[in-house]
């Protein structure tokens, strides 16, 4: 079901675009968005465990692949699939900005390396 449409006129807005004459009745239709749809969704417990693990995995005595399986019960492939989807969410950024920023930078470097045809670790 579609939400109702509301009309906003230029007279109800404080800034007027160039060329609109005062008193002219122009309007535009836009959807009325409930305030609840603009709030952030909460992270699931799995998501927070993954972000927490990513922050502290290096303290584990075992390899990262083994630690992922032992602590989270996920395969390494599934872990990275979930992690890469997770780093795009604003909720994850609000929860742990350091980890999310680090992974976004890492992904950007790897994408650029694939595009330019050199390894991500080689000097430019």
């Amino acid at each position: 079901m579609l939400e109702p449409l509301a009309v906003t006129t230029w007279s109800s807005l404080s800034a007027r675009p160039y060329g609109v004459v005062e008193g002219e009745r122009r309007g535009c239709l836009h959807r009325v968005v409930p305030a609840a749809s603009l709030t952030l969704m909460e992270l699931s417990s799995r998501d927070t465990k993954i972000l927490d693990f990513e922050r502290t995995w290096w303290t584990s005595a075992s390899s990262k692949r083994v630690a992922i399986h032992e602590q989270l019960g996920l395969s390494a492939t599934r872990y990275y699939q979930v992690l890469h989807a997770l780093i795009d969410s604003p909720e994850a950024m609000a929860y742990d900005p350091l980890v999310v920023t680090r992974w976004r930078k890492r992904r950007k470097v790897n994408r650029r390396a694939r595009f330019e045809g050199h390894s991500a670790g080689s000097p430019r």
Side-chain angles (χ1 to χ4, degrees), residues 47-115:
D47 295 342
T48 57
K49 286 179 185 177
I50 288 174
L51 290 172
D52 293 340
F53 174 80
E54 191 57 40
R55 186 181 331 111
T56 61
W57 71 267
W58 54 273
T59 60
S60 175
S62 59
S63 70
K64 187 173 184 179
R65 183 177 297 270
V66 172
I68 289 169
H69 184 69
E70 288 175 351
Q71 294 181 24
L72 302 172
L74 298 171
S75 69
T77 302
R78 183 64 185 146
Y79 170 80
Y80 286 111
Q81 288 172 344
V82 173
L83 179 63
H84 283 284
L86 189 57
I87 63 174
D88 289 327
S89 74
E91 297 85 8
M93 180 59 104
Y95 181 77
D96 197 339
L98 182 66
V99 168
V100 172
T101 303
R102 181 168 31 111
W103 269 97
R104 285 180 180 177
K105 285 180 184 177
R106 179 185 238 179
R107 181 174 60 186
K108 183 179 176 181
V109 166
N110 290 341
R111 283 181 178 170
R112 172 169 273 169
R114 279 194 308 271
F115 179 73

